[in-house]
Amino acid sequence: MSLIIEASDLSFQEHANLNAMRFLNEVIERYPDAVSFASGRPSEINTQPKKWFQYIEQFSHYLAKTQNKSHQEIVNLLGQYGDTRGIINPLIAKQLYLDEGITLEREDILVTNGAQEGMVICLDTLFSPAHDVLLVTDPAYIGITGAARIKGIDVVYVECDSEGPIITALALSIKNIATSGKRARAIYTIPDFSNPCGRTMSLERRKELLAFCYAYGLFVLEDSPYRLFRYTHQPQPTLLALDEKAVVIYIGTFAKTLCPAVRIGYLICRTRVKRSEQFMPLIDDMTRVKSFISVNTGNIAQAIVGGFLLENNCSLKQTIQGINKHYQEKRDRLLLSLAHFFAEQYPTISWNVPDGGFFLNLKLPFDLTMQDVEHCAAEFGVIVVPTAIFSDSGCYNNVLRLSFSYVESDMIEEGVRRLSCFIADSRERMKSGIDK
Ligand SMILES: Cc1ncc(COP(=O)(O)O)c(C=O)c1O
């Protein structure tokens, strides 16, 4: 007979939000005929397998030249285990210099298996679950809150307004955490076109947040996968660029700029650790932690990203601009459709206009559960995501996240029409007292 164990004996404990990542990744397959506003996947207009092989070649030549090695030596190197820090660090440093004006040493960068591993490394390096608490903006990307929960790290959501985390709310959270005998260790935020809201942090709030973190010895985990996908307005500087005291740890990824399948991301950290009267880079400790999580990031995947960066002379701004037209057109179609189906008929429904990124939020006059969303997909043929899965404050129970990055352009209007039918049906049922 096979071994049977009690669920309560597992270190992995059930939490509603822990199903959310799989829901987001799998829901499209379950309802293939539905119009999906669920997925934050990048559009596939940029998926060109032939190019992936070309990128590997391009990067191999670059490496052979810069390391004075033969082609065979480089092929051997790519096929082997590799440097835990990564092999494309100088190219990433150059891209951040050209696109963001940030000057970095290659030693400040650790290449990771996607942003997701970057988050896990931050948690494993900085947090002791018994003492340390993770602050996150409310709502927050489930990649970090789910990983924290699996590790037994407490998560506290900080109230936000349209400019970013409210500093007085942050101060109150820190006080409450200290009263409970624990320590707030870091705040996680997506300052540009956040997931799930599509909000951008104002410059003023960025500065206030940093000043607060300097005063309280808090780290800032800045996650920025959508930053280059900008449709209107001038960019704000990253928190990393504004940071004068090395409190910001920047979590980067190529999942949206190249493709998610390469699973290449990176961490940037300039903090120092005092150890036996010596000041050592925190990223060295993160590198050691990573070596026991994934040994190193796959060299072949790094070579694809390396070639992609080389082909674009290490600046992605220009490349992304072409793709941005495509995303902006989808965003605008979605906004037009929302106005068409809701503005007059449902004045109590509102939505935000994101300046970039892949998401916006739709606020309804009633709450929705995961079951409602399943019902909406099965019966009305449109998939949406409750923003509440990214929160535990109860403030987002009546909000839906609509993603416009992956839905087909000419299905957007039809998707919103179907959503309006679902909303009309839900309201009718509520009015007549039928359980939704
Ligand atoms: C805010 C945010 N961070 C990180 C990621 C995931 O990045 P990666 O695929 O590099 O792990 C996503 C993906 O949707 C995201 O929305």
Side-chain angles (χ1 to χ4, degrees):
M1 181 163 143
S2 10
L3 175 66
I4 294 176
I5 55 169
E6 292 291 332
S8 57
D9 267 354
L10 293 173
S11 66
F12 174 83
Q13 289 301 310
E14 278 294 347
H15 185 287
N17 290 5
L18 291 177
N19 294 322
M21 187 67 97
R22 290 191 63 188
F23 171 82
L24 292 178
N25 283 330
E26 293 167 14
V27 67
I28 303 181
E29 273 79 43
R30 275 196 287 127
Y31 300 103
D33 297 329
V35 179
S36 176
F37 293 113
S39 175
R41 290 177 182 184
S43 155
E44 280 144 8
I45 48 165
N46 219 19
T47 305
Q48 300 170 41
K50 263 196 204 150
K51 283 223 153 180
W52 301 338
F53 294 102
Q54 181 198 311
Y55 290 152
I56 296 176
E57 271 306 301
Q58 221 167 329
F59 181 72
S60 305
H61 286 300
Y62 157 86
L63 218 52
K65 207 168 151 203
T66 50
Q67 297 196 357
N68 206 10
K69 288 197 163 92
S70 69
H71 188 256
Q72 189 54 50
E73 283 172 312
I74 294 300
V75 169
N76 290 346
L77 184 145
L78 293 185
Q80 275 299 347
Y81 293 110
D83 183 342
T84 305
R85 274 178 196 277
I87 55 173
I88 55 171
N89 311 40
L91 300 177
I92 296 175
K94 192 165 172 194
Q95 188 248 316
L96 287 160
Y97 175 71
L98 294 175
D99 289 342
E100 301 289 353
I102 299 170
T103 308
L104 296 164
E105 303 297 328
R106 66 162 291 176
E107 290 74 26
D108 299 328
I109 301 171
L110 171 61
V111 181
T112 58
N113 288 293
Q116 188 62 34
E117 191 190 34
M119 293 176 210
V120 168
I121 293 169
C122 289
L123 296 174
D124 281 338
T125 310
L126 297 177
F127 287 77
S128 143
H131 307 292
D132 296 318
V133 175
L134 173 69
L135 297 161
V136 297
T137 46
D138 186 25
Y141 175 60
I142 48 172
I144 188 111
T145 51
R149 286 199 170 99
I150 286 170
K151 291 173 189 301
I153 297 166
D154 287 346
V155 176
V156 170
Y157 289 82
V158 177
E159 191 186 342
C160 295
D161 59 21
S162 60
E163 291 195 46
I166 300 171
I167 303 299
T168 48
L170 181 57
L172 187 64
S173 299
I174 294 209
K175 200 169 150 213
N176 290 342
I177 291 166
T179 310
S180 76
K182 289 195 168 186
R183 170 179 66 161
R185 186 65 157 145
I187 177 158
Y188 167 88
T189 178
I190 308 167
D192 296 291
F193 323 129
S194 67
N195 181 4
C197 292
R199 284 186 195 145
T200 300
M201 203 187 295
S202 68
L203 179 58
E204 205 44 43
R205 195 63 61 82
R206 287 174 201 238
K207 289 180 181 166
E208 282 169 15
L209 176 65
L210 284 175
F212 184 91
C213 291
Y214 298 158
Y216 286 87
L218 264 189
F219 282 98
V220 180
L221 307 181
E222 177 178 26
D223 185 11
S224 212
Y226 305 101
R227 186 171 160 78
L228 288 177
F229 302 97
R230 164 178 307 284
Y231 317 132
T232 40
H233 292 89
Q234 287 304 306
Q236 305 289 3
T238 57
L239 290 165
L240 181 71
L242 293 170
D243 179 18
E244 291 170 353
K245 302 211 170 171
V247 298
V248 174
I249 299 174
Y250 188 88
I251 303 167
T253 181
F254 291 93
K256 315 288 170 173
T257 48
L258 177 55
C259 66
V262 288
R263 309 299 311 128
I264 297 291
Y266 54 91
L267 286 175
I268 296 170
C269 177
R270 298 179 287 196
T271 313
R272 303 255 144 189
V273 181
K274 189 171 169 215
R275 189 172 279 131
S276 321
E277 298 310 313
Q278 284 197 316
F279 293 90
M280 306 302 286
L282 176 59
I283 204 137
D284 286 356
D285 290 331
M286 294 175 142
T287 307
R288 275 188 282 172
V289 167
K290 176 182 162 68
S291 72
F292 291 103
I293 296 176
S294 61
V295 183
N296 68 277
T297 305
N299 287 339
I300 294 171
Q302 287 190 75
I304 294 177
V305 172
F308 170 62
L309 287 170
L310 286 168
E311 184 171 86
N312 290 289
N313 296 317
C314 291
S315 170
L316 298 182
K317 258 190 186 160
Q318 216 47 34
T319 321
I320 300 301
Q321 243 171 39
I323 305 168
N324 275 353
K325 285 203 186 97
H326 168 83
Y327 287 129
Q328 182 172 356
E329 188 203 296
K330 287 187 178 190
R331 180 202 68 163
D332 292 345
R333 273 196 183 209
L334 179 56
L335 291 170
L336 274 176
S337 304
L338 291 172
H340 176 73
F341 286 101
F342 296 128
E344 270 184 30
Q345 212 181 342
Y346 298 106
T348 49
I349 295 179
S350 60
W351 55 91
N352 61 319
V353 178
D355 292 332
F358 291 5
F359 313 102
L360 62 75
N361 275 195
L362 188 70
K363 201 166 170 188
L364 305 177
F366 54 85
D367 290 357
L368 282 155
T369 61
M370 214 61 181
Q371 284 90 325
D372 295 324
V373 166
E374 287 276 353
H375 173 70
C376 179
E379 300 300 323
F380 293 86
V382 57
I383 311 174
V384 289
V385 173
T387 302
I389 66 171
F390 301 90
S391 172
D392 74 354
S393 65
C395 298
Y396 292 88
N397 292 348
N398 61 335
V399 181
L400 293 177
R401 185 190 81 170
L402 301 187
S403 169
F404 48 84
S405 58
Y406 193 63
V407 59
E408 292 200 17
S409 226
D410 53 9
M411 290 309 288
I412 290 176
E413 190 175 342
E414 172 60 13
V416 177
R417 189 195 64 76
R418 293 182 191 184
L419 185 59
S420 73
C421 294
F422 163 73
I423 289 171
D425 180 72
S426 302
R427 293 188 70 169
E428 274 314 305
R429 282 161 168 263
M430 264 181 289
K431 262 194 225 150
S432 55
I434 305 170
D435 236 5
K436 274 191 293 139

